[in-house]
Amino acid sequence: MSQATTLARPYARALFQAAKQEGRLKEASDALAFSAQASGIPAVAVLLDDPRVLPSQLIDLLSHPDASEVMRRFLETVAGNGRLVLLPEIAALFVLLRAESDHVVKATITSATPLTEAELKPLIAALQKRFGSEVEVSTAVDPELIGGAGVDAGDIVIDGSVRNKL
């Protein structure tokens, strides 16, 4: 686990709790994604560590135009603690918290060759049965697997590759 993740986790949880209490998870998610993406722009990233730039200027620069008061206060707190560089990590953790709250498991299926829709459907059904919740799947291709597939769903990794069996 990286230090950035450790530092970002309390911020993601705090925003998640505040947005959930207000019933504005989607809005907070969208605003946070906007801020995280803006902070990743090289010209903006340079400003995040510039002592000549006031925190209020950074908040104005990074805030989504329709950001709620909760989001503005959140950015003020993050800026006040000098942690605006963590916004991409905070956003990634927020997405995971939201998916967990919505009972959605995010999984990546890695196979040796691209999977067809017909091959993917039974895999998704098996994962939904295993996790007992909705599964949001992304796919990747790794020719080194030789055959079979592997599933990475956060804390759970299932390796059904031929490479693993050899």
Side-chain angles (χ1 to χ4, degrees), residues 32-74:
L32 184 56
F34 176 90
S35 297
Q37 188 172 11
S39 72
I41 297 170
V44 175
V46 171
L47 298 174
L48 298 180
D49 291 328
D50 191 336
R52 298 172 294 176
V53 180
L54 298 172
S56 61
Q57 293 172 315
L58 291 172
I59 292 166
D60 289 341
L61 184 64
L62 296 173
S63 290
H64 187 277
D66 299 327
S68 69
E69 185 59 32
V70 167
M71 188 63 189
R72 297 252 339 151
R73 286 194 318 265
F74 169 77

Side-chain angles (χ1 to χ4, degrees), residues 89-164:
E89 190 72 31
I90 294 168
L93 291 169
F94 188 92
V95 167
L96 292 175
L97 289 170
R98 186 164 175 222
E100 186 178 299
S101 172
D102 293 343
H103 303 292
V104 174
V105 174
K106 293 186 180 284
T108 302
I109 299 175
T110 306
S111 58
T113 58
L115 296 172
T116 65
E117 194 66 34
E119 295 169 322
L120 204 51
K121 277 186 178 183
L123 286 172
I124 293 171
L127 290 172
Q128 287 175 336
K129 184 176 178 183
R130 166 118 190 232
F131 296 120
S133 63
E134 190 66 31
V135 178
E136 191 175 295
V137 173
S138 61
T139 59
V141 175
D142 181 1
E144 292 184 14
L145 293 181
I146 303 171
V151 178
D152 182 355
D155 293 339
I156 297 174
V157 177
I158 303 167
D159 191 353
S161 67
V162 171
R163 179 178 67 186
N164 184 44

